[in-house]
């Protein structure tokens, strides 16, 4: 077999790969993650319009449903000790770091936050640049949607959001919630705020997979995106 034939064959295979990029359909067809399921969540996709909670990211594990910088959950089962409760042990064997809002000792109901969240609200925290997680959603009808984000960020940063394996919007600037007036240093991670209309996405009706990427700074707590259809 001649060298020229092998070179021509290699070139034809390369062209074939380049000419058939992955589409949204092929991503959804091959994606192995599934909506989160436990005793409270019934394994159905979170719905848009509506609240999409970050802590209910997909099942599928490292490299499929998420990527985290280490395998330890620094919240559930660690900061929040193993005690048999749903909130303290929530997804404690997965790499994504999760916790929940607490009202004792003025942790998440402190006077230095801009928005007070509800008590016992799960969130993704301890975020680092390069991390990401997927959330399968069910969109009621095709159109443009905007979303608010409930979050904390002690030093600001950027995130992006992908749809069905492709970048959709970003980088999105997350404003710092640092407040120098707060005398309790660790509470800088608990100054909640809402980033209004931070997202604007065109979504097709039916199943879609959102990917939240941490781009810079990290150290953000991400609770949920509240999606509304743009009129």
């Amino acid at each position: 077999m001649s060298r020229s034939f092998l070179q021509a064959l290699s070139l034809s295979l390369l062209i074939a790969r380049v000419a058939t990029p992955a589409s949204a359909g092929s991503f959804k067809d091959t994606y192995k993650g599934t909506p989160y399921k436990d005793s409270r969540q019934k394994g159905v996709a979170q719905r848009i319009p509506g609240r999409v909670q970050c802590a209910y990211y997909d099942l599928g594990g490292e490299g499929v449903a998420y990527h985290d910088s280490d395998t330890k959950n620094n919240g559930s089962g660690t900061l929040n000790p193993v005690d048999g409760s749903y909130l303290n042990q929530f997804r404690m064997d997965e790499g994504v770091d999760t916790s929940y809002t607490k009202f004792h000792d003025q942790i998440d109901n402190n006077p230095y936050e801009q928005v007070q969240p509800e008590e016992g609200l799960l969130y993704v925290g301890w975020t680092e640049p390069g991390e990401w997680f997927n959330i399968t959603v069910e969109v009621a009808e095709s159109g443009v949607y905007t979303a608010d984000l409930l979050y904390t960020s002690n030093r600001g940063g950027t995130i992006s959001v992908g749809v069905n394996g492709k970048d959709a919007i970003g980088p999105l600037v997350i404003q710092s919630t640092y407040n120098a007036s707060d005398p309790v240093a660790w509470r800088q991670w608990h100054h909640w705020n809402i980033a209004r209309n931070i997202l604007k996405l065109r979504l097709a009706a039916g199943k879609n997979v959102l990917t939240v990427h941490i781009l810079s700074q990290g150290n953000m707590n991400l609770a949920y995106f509240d999606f509304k259809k743009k009129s």
Side-chain angles (χ1 to χ4, degrees):
M1 190 177 292
S2 69
R3 180 181 297 177
S4 60
F5 176 81
L6 290 173
Q7 289 174 335
L9 179 61
S10 298
L11 180 60
S12 65
L13 291 173
L14 177 60
I15 292 172
R17 288 197 298 268
V18 173
T20 55
S23 66
S26 64
F27 173 85
K28 289 189 288 185
D29 291 340
T30 59
Y31 176 58
K32 302 302 183 183
T34 57
Y36 180 67
K37 182 178 182 180
D38 67 8
S39 61
R40 297 189 185 183
Q41 286 294 108
K42 303 308 178 185
V44 297
Q46 300 189 67
R47 297 187 179 277
I48 292 177
R51 178 188 291 189
V52 174
Q53 291 191 237
C54 296
Y56 293 139
Y57 63 90
D58 286 353
L59 294 172
E62 170 66 37
V64 174
Y66 67 84
H67 169 64
D68 200 83
S69 57
D70 61 33
T71 60
K72 181 181 180 180
N73 190 326
N74 290 291
S76 299
T78 305
L79 175 69
N80 307 323
V82 175
D83 62 359
S85 69
Y86 179 84
L87 291 176
N88 273 26
Q89 296 183 201
F90 178 79
R91 309 189 80 166
M92 68 179 187
D93 295 323
E94 298 184 55
V96 176
D97 307 298
T98 53
S99 191
Y100 62 95
T101 54
K102 307 174 181 74
F103 280 12
H104 63 80
D105 301 314
Q106 289 192 311
I107 295 176
D108 293 293
N109 59 338
N110 64 77
Y112 300 96
E113 56 195 2
Q114 299 179 56
V115 173
Q116 182 174 300
E118 62 195 76
E119 187 176 9
L121 177 66
L122 289 159
Y123 60 85
V124 170
W126 289 268
T127 54
E128 295 290 344
E131 296 181 342
W132 54 265
F133 54 88
N134 288 336
I135 307 172
T136 297
V137 296
E138 183 72 23
V139 179
E141 56 182 343
S142 298
V144 176
Y145 290 83
T146 61
D148 299 338
L149 170 64
L150 180 66
Y151 77 99
T152 78
S153 175
N154 75 328
R155 61 186 184 215
T158 56
I159 66 172
S160 68
V161 177
V163 178
N164 299 324
K166 296 182 179 180
D167 291 336
I169 188 169
L172 303 170
V173 176
I174 303 297
Q175 298 294 333
S176 173
T177 56
Y178 180 87
N179 187 331
S181 300
D182 193 339
V184 182
W186 57 261
R187 207 159 52 191
Q188 296 295 343
W189 280 268
H190 297 269
H191 297 161
W192 291 92
N193 193 20
I194 293 179
R196 299 197 181 277
N197 296 317
I198 191 170
L199 281 184
K200 183 180 178 182
L201 298 175
R202 182 173 295 277
L203 299 171
K207 175 185 171 183
N208 291 271
V209 180
L210 306 182
T211 304
V212 179
H213 299 265
I214 310 303
L215 298 182
S216 67
Q217 295 285 46
N219 276 256
M220 293 174 265
N221 294 328
L222 307 176
Y224 61 76
F225 294 92
D226 187 10
F227 281 90
K228 298 179 179 66
K229 195 168 191 295
K230 186 173 175 61
S231 58

